[in-house]
Amino acid sequence: GNVQTLNLSGCVCITDVSALSSVHMLDLSFCISITDVSALGDVHTLNLSSCESITDVSALGKVYNLNISHCKSITDVSALATVCSLNFAHCQSITDISAL
């Protein structure tokens, strides 16, 4: 599509976001049903704050600005070393940040 900025914050029933890979700025905060974000690696600015069902963010290393704050299920952020701006405040399951 041609959409450059898309705010779907709080859309709790959305599960499949694979078609949104061409969006430049994407806000999916509080979309608690999303589990797979592997298709979103080309999004420039991605807000996944409080997406509690997401566990794997390894495909998001090319995202420029990434917010995964309050994502309680994420444990591994080692693939995110190339992200320019990374917010993972209140991610209680992350223990190792040595790769960053």
Side-chain angles (χ1 to χ4, degrees):
N2 293 327
V3 175
Q4 291 295 302
T5 302
L6 184 59
N7 185 340
L8 295 171
S9 181
C11 293
V12 296
C13 294
I14 290 179
T15 56
D16 183 3
V17 293
S18 59
L20 303 178
S21 61
S22 63
V23 176
H24 185 74
M25 281 177 105
L26 183 57
D27 186 348
L28 296 173
S29 57
F30 298 96
C31 292
I32 56 174
S33 301
I34 294 172
T35 56
D36 182 5
V37 292
S38 60
L40 302 180
D42 290 326
V43 174
H44 181 271
T45 300
L46 182 57
N47 185 350
L48 298 174
S49 179
S50 299
C51 291
E52 299 176 359
S53 301
I54 294 172
T55 57
D56 182 7
V57 291
S58 60
L60 303 181
K62 291 194 302 182
V63 174
Y64 184 82
N65 187 337
L66 180 60
N67 184 347
I68 54 170
S69 62
H70 299 276
C71 290
K72 299 174 185 172
S73 303
I74 294 173
T75 57
D76 183 8
V77 292
S78 60
L80 304 180
T82 53
V83 173
C84 188
S85 176
L86 177 60
N87 180 349
F88 56 93
H90 302 283
C91 289
Q92 298 141 337
S93 301
I94 296 172
T95 56
D96 183 8
I97 57 168
S98 60
L100 302 178

